[in-house]
């Protein structure tokens, strides 16, 4: 628990839609030794913890995290909201649209019928399923209006936010049997305004979770958080996430950061102000740059379409979705581009470091994967108590120290060798800035505050740990220690692990404090050798006495 809990205790029993067993037998046991029922219970408890200990409600400033990048864009967004809200109210009340509006009443009426029904549901309805269509109609109404505005050469509209063409569905890339209610996707401004084909988490902007009663708002959040973790797992270029919950006639927008989950005030669709606020959210998402939607602009998604896209490689060993990644080096102040081959570690939790690891090669002007020397790219958001470039425990600095020590006197065994190490940089207000929690808060004009021992409830959501977005390129490329084939290989691996550990301690003065099976990789190049690849919990050897004294 990192900050004061500002969420009210729920008045309903926690419930998350259970998994469906992949076996026809009740209580089927998963490969990791727990029954489906046991896993469901663990996940419900985990989601309940997220809602009660990390969720902050009624954040008025949340809308400022998603806004156009320029003042002109923000003014255009406000004008678009007024224009769309006026059009919606005119159609709902059967009034004429203004002359010269450029809107097709026939098209909008089709969407308005569902909105009108949504306004009448009150605090509950027998089933949540009608809400899927009601919300989709609302989103399509806004998109159709924005498309009409864009036809007038409005340069500020970046994309359309469109709902999926199916609801209550299991994404194709899901590793369980749960079904999401509605998915939203990004499409170009030239796309047709209609529900789009959306079958995977990898292509989803955000998840929309619906419940049939206002009283189930916390249950809706629980389910939203569990499902949204799949977006982190399937999208290697997400910095943070957005989501929506619908509870009868109330809608909440949610922002999911590394250490905090923020929820907007309720938008009640039966009220004009509530409808206008939801329009504002959809318009801002349509007009803000990709990085404010949570995407990483330094990671460009690449899709493999055929074997021709993969040069000199077995296509089965290459991910369908890969990334061209800009890797900035703090020391040389240069950016080197790489293209990934496969993901070997994905972020699979809604909170935390969101560590991802990729096997990649140097970018040579083509997104096709080449047979050049492979490297490992590690991308993570570690916490820090220092300005990012001054952190003495910065993994980049420690790897650079190892590199400099062994450069002219390399040991016989393999060790982690740094190639590129730096902090991810984004352009903010025409200035290159390190991607941190502070940078995310700065967009909204909000000052993040270091978590105190005690905090007042009103500003508790601002008490968030500082995290810095770091990216490391290193070699060699290894495989999980779980790939060893027999006891002999395991002994070889562990012996070389100890050799590497000792060399780094004796030669570099760096003590690794987080040795685990996840941090030992097996490199097969005629013999089994391993590097230690996660130095996130290290201390300088010369501080050991001080540590012992503590």
């Amino acid at each position: 628990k990192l900050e004061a809990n500002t969420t009210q205790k729920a008045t309903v029993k926690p419930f998350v839609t259970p998994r469906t067993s992949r076996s026809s037998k009740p209580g089927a046991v998963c490969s990791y030794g727990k029954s489906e029922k046991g896993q469901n219970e663990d996940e419900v408890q985990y989601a309940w913890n997220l809602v009660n200990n990390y969720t902050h409600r009624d954040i008025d400033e949340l809308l400022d995290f998603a806004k156009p990048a320029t003042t002109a864009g923000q003014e255009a967004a406000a004008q678009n909201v007024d224009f769309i809200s006026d059009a919606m109210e005119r159609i709902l009340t059967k009034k004429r649209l203004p002359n010269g509006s450029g809107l097709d009443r026939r098209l909008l009426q089709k969407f308005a019928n569902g909105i009108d029904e949504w306004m009448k549901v009150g605090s509950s309805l027998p089933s949540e399923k009608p809400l899927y269509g009601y919300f989709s109609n609302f989103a399509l109404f806004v998109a159709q209006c924005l498309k009409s505005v864009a036809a007038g050469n409005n340069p500020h509209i970046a994309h359309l936010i469109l709902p999926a063409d199916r609801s209550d569905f299991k994404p194709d890339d899901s590793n369980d049997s749960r079904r999401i209610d509605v998915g939203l996707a990004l499409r170009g401004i030239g796309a047709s305004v209609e529900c789009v084909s959306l079958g995977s988490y990898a292509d989803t902007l955000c998840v929309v979770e619906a419940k049939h009663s206002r009283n189930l708002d916390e249950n809706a959040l629980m389910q939203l958080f569990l499902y949204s973790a799949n977006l982190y797992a399937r999208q290697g270029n997400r910095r943070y996430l957005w989501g929506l919950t619908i509870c009868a006639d109330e809608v909440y927008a949610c922002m999911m950061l590394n250490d905090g989950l923020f929820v907007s005030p309720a938008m009640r669709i039966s009220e004009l102000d509530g409808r206008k606020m939801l329009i504002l959210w959809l318009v801002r998402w349509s007009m803000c740059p990709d990085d404010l939607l949570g995407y990483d602009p330094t990671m460009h998604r690449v899709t493999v379409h055929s074997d021709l896209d993969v040069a000199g490689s077995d296509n089965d060993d290459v991910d369908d979705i890969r990334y061209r990644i800009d890797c900035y080096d703090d020391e040389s102040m240069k950016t080197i581009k790489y293209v990934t081959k496969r993901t070997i570690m994905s972020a699979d939790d809604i909170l935390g470091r969101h560590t991802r690891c990729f096997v990649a090669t140097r970018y040579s002007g083509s997104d096709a994967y080449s047979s050049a020397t492979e490297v490992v790219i590690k991308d993570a958001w570690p916490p820090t108590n220092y300005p990012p470039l001054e952190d003495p425990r910065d993994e980049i600095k420690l790897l650079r120290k190892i590199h400099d020590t062994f450069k002219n006197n390399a040991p016989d065994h393999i060790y982690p060798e740094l190639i590129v190490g730096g902090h991810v940089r984004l352009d903010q207000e025409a200035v290159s800035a390190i991607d941190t929690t502070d940078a995310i808060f700065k967009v909204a004009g909000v000052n993040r505050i270091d978590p105190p021992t005690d905090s007042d409830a009103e500003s508790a959501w601002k008490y968030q740990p500082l995290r810095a977005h770091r990216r490391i390129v290193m070699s060699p490329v290894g495989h999980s220690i779980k790939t060893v084939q027999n006891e002999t290989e395991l002994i070889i691996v562990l012996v070389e692990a100890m050799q590497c550990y000792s060399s780094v301690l004796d030669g570099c003065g760096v003590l690794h404090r987080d040795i685990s099976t996840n941090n030992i990789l097996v490199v097969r190049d005629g013999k089994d050798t391993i590097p230690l690849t996660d130095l996130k919990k290290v201390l300088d050897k010369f501080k050991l006495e001080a540590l012992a004294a503590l």
Side-chain angles (χ1 to χ4, degrees), residues 18-29:
R19 292 172 178 263
T20 301
S21 173
R22 296 188 181 185
S23 167
S24 59
K25 298 179 180 180
V29 177

Side-chain angles (χ1 to χ4, degrees), residues 111-232:
F111 305 136
N113 292 336
I115 299 171
D116 185 57
E117 292 180 23
W118 193 7
M119 292 166 54
K120 300 173 183 176
V121 302
S123 61
S124 66
L125 63 167
S127 168
E128 68 185 41
K129 290 188 176 181
L131 297 171
Y132 310 158
Y134 297 160
F135 172 78
S136 295
N137 279 317
F138 198 106
L140 290 170
F141 189 105
V142 174
Q144 184 64 55
C145 291
L146 285 175
K147 189 173 177 68
S148 298
V149 172
N153 296 319
N154 188 310
H156 302 291
I157 301 174
H159 27 239
L160 300 177
I161 309 294
L162 298 174
D165 60 359
R166 53 179 175 161
S167 55
D168 188 26
F169 69 98
K170 176 185 177 299
D172 300 333
D173 53 358
S174 174
N175 60 2
D176 59 47
S177 298
R178 288 206 174 110
R179 309 167 73 86
I180 65 174
D181 293 338
V182 180
L184 289 180
L186 288 180
R187 292 294 185 268
I189 196 63
S192 300
V193 178
E194 58 187 3
C195 294
V196 298
S197 176
L198 182 64
S200 67
Y201 283 116
D203 298 320
T204 300
L205 167 65
C206 70
V207 172
V208 183
E209 177 60 31
K211 295 295 180 186
H212 67 88
S213 171
R214 291 179 192 168
N215 294 331
L216 295 176
D217 57 324
E218 292 195 346
N219 297 73
L221 287 173
M222 290 169 61
Q223 207 146 329
L224 176 69
F225 297 152
L226 287 178
Y227 291 175
S228 294
N230 287 290
L231 298 183
Y232 277 129

Side-chain angles (χ1 to χ4, degrees), residues 12 28 48 85 108 140 203 219 237 273 284 287 361 390 452 502:
V12 294
W48 197 239
S85 178
L108 294 178
L140 290 170
D203 298 320
N219 297 73
N237 61 339
D273 288 345
R284 284 203 170 184
M287 297 182 66
T361 58
E390 300 175 15
S502 298

Side-chain angles (χ1 to χ4, degrees), residues 405-406 500-510 541:
T405 301
F406 292 156
C500 181
Y501 171 82
S502 298
S503 296
V504 170
L505 177 61
D506 295 337
C508 310
V510 173
K541 179 181 179 181

Side-chain angles (χ1 to χ4, degrees), residues 62-81:
L62 192 59
L63 188 60
D64 292 329
F65 285 88
K67 61 185 178 184
T70 65
T71 301
Q74 294 165 25
E75 292 174 351
Q79 294 171 3
N80 289 337
V81 171

Side-chain angles (χ1 to χ4, degrees), residues 24-76:
S24 59
K25 298 179 180 180
V29 177
C30 303
S31 58
Y32 37 80
K34 277 207 171 186
S35 68
E36 294 281 358
K37 180 180 178 181
Q39 188 178 359
N40 280 327
E41 292 172 350
D42 287 348
E43 290 185 347
V44 169
Q45 186 59 46
Y46 170 70
W48 197 239
N49 178 55
L50 291 177
V51 169
N52 280 273
N53 293 323
Y54 295 94
T55 299
H56 303 270
R57 308 292 295 269
D58 298 324
I59 308 300
D60 291 318
E61 298 93 331
L62 192 59
L63 188 60
D64 292 329
F65 285 88
K67 61 185 178 184
T70 65
T71 301
Q74 294 165 25
E75 292 174 351

